[in-house]
Amino acid sequence: MAESLAPTEVPLVGDFSTAPTNSALADVRVGVITFPGTLDDRDAVRAVTLAGGTAVPLWYNDTDLQNVDAVVVPGGFSYGDYLRAGAIAAKAPMMEKVAKAASASSTSGSSPLPVLGICNGFQILTETHLLPGSMIKNDHRKFICRDQVLRIDNNETFWTSDFEKGQQIVVPLKNQDGQYVADAHTLEALEAEGRVVFRYVGVNPNGSRNDIAGITNERGNVVGLMPHPEHAVEPGFGPDSSGFGDVALRGGADGLGVFTSVLNQLVSAR
């Protein structure tokens, strides 16, 4: 882990110590897009920084990817979920550039561009058709906020390679439109091709088909998930439990592996 505290240590106040610098990881530039209504962009920036990378703020209405090596489409309520969650943001100029780079045969620094969509970002990726299926209202029609156990069913993506297949992690979940749905043919293909990346364990919090919490595209460079790994990256500010063993109060930092995965993958590819 990049921070100075051990996973079981809890700071009395924010840990503002400087993390050790790994120049190889620091050379990896990860863009984080902000849309009108986004609220988790700064959390995603901090997660990239704690993992050792260099976070690059991207604005929804720009068209310059600023030579980033990967992109995070963060959570929030882009355009207030007006019309349909993620539908308007999917038409933003920056998302057109991201979709093109994610589907290209080669891009600057990576081939193709790794993209992670978290919560509203997952909704945006389905609306952009970078990922199949759709996100609809939770089956109980209520907003839900809880710590959620997930199982890593695919550790061969850019965003999960630092985990073991079958490993369980705990990260926060907070959404109202978190029910993943797809037609029977799409679900069958996702399962047969091993493209279910994260699956809910213990309880299905929103009625998602096949307990699906996150999926990937056929190449494994685009991943979307509903729970929030960026909210479980440093001791003292995360969940009260962890899939890695006992932790102190709010000591869960299981989500950091999502961000170290993409950094290590990109460094290894150079």
Side-chain angles (χ1 to χ4, degrees), residues 6-56:
T8 55
E9 294 179 298
V10 178
L12 296 177
V13 295
D15 177 16
F16 299 110
S17 59
T18 303
T21 300
N22 180 327
S23 59
L25 296 181
D27 286 341
V28 179
R29 294 165 54 84
V30 180
V32 179
I33 305 175
T34 297
F35 302 89
T38 295
L39 58 81
D40 291 324
D41 46 349
R42 295 195 176 191
D43 303 77
V45 165
R46 181 160 178 78
V48 170
T49 303
L50 288 171
T54 297
V56 180

Side-chain angles (χ1 to χ4, degrees), residues 84-85 122-123 125-127 129 131-137 177-183 186-187 190 208-209 212 215 226:
R84 188 174 60 245
F122 188 8
Q123 295 158 348
L125 294 182
T126 60
E127 292 287 343
H129 301 301
L131 292 173
S134 300
M135 312 302 304
I136 63 174
K137 298 289 183 186
D177 298 82
Q179 182 179 179
Y180 179 76
V181 297
D183 60 51
T186 298
L187 290 172
L190 288 173
S208 290
R209 303 297 183 270
I212 290 174
I215 60 173
M226 283 311 295

Side-chain angles (χ1 to χ4, degrees), residues 52-246:
T54 297
V56 180
L58 299 176
W59 185 237
Y60 78 104
N61 207 30
D62 289 341
T63 57
D64 183 2
L65 278 171
Q66 300 187 41
N67 200 32
V68 296
D69 303 297
V71 163
V72 174
V73 187
F77 298 91
S78 59
Y79 297 91
D81 284 352
Y82 183 71
L83 181 61
R84 188 174 60 245
I88 300 177
K91 307 299 182 185
M94 182 57 72
M95 281 310 301
E96 293 183 11
K97 299 292 291 188
V98 169
K100 183 177 181 180
S103 303
S105 57
S106 64
T107 61
S108 176
S110 62
S111 177
L113 184 73
V115 178
L116 173 68
I118 304 170
C119 197
N120 188 228
F122 188 8
Q123 295 158 348
I124 293 171
L125 294 182
T126 60
E127 292 287 343
T128 313
H129 301 301
L130 284 171
L131 292 173
S134 300
M135 312 302 304
I136 63 174
K137 298 289 183 186
N138 296 337
D139 58 353
H140 42 72
R141 302 293 191 272
K142 297 178 181 177
F143 185 89
I144 187 171
C145 182
R146 55 172 292 161
D147 293 340
Q148 178 67 50
V149 181
L150 303 176
R151 186 178 66 237
I152 309 296
D153 277 5
N154 181 343
N155 68 338
E156 297 181 356
T157 78
F158 274 88
W159 302 93
T160 53
S161 59
D162 280 1
F163 297 105
E164 298 292 333
K165 185 176 181 179
Q167 182 176 346
Q168 294 187 8
I169 63 174
V170 180
V171 299
L173 169 77
K174 54 186 180 88
N175 62 64
Q176 180 169 286
D177 298 82
Q179 182 179 179
Y180 179 76
V181 297
D183 60 51
H185 175 75
T186 298
L187 290 172
E188 183 178 349
L190 288 173
E191 297 288 356
E193 297 167 9
R195 291 166 54 193
V196 176
V197 180
F198 301 94
R199 207 180 303 264
Y200 296 117
V201 174
V203 61
N204 183 331
N206 44 39
S208 290
R209 303 297 183 270
N210 295 10
D211 299 332
I212 290 174
I215 60 173
T216 185
N217 62 346
E218 293 180 352
R219 289 173 157 180
N221 64 304
V222 180
V223 169
L225 78 162
M226 283 311 295
H228 290 260
E230 81 279 19
H231 294 329
V233 294
E234 56 187 325
F237 303 93
D240 293 336
S241 59
S242 166
F244 290 85
D246 294 337

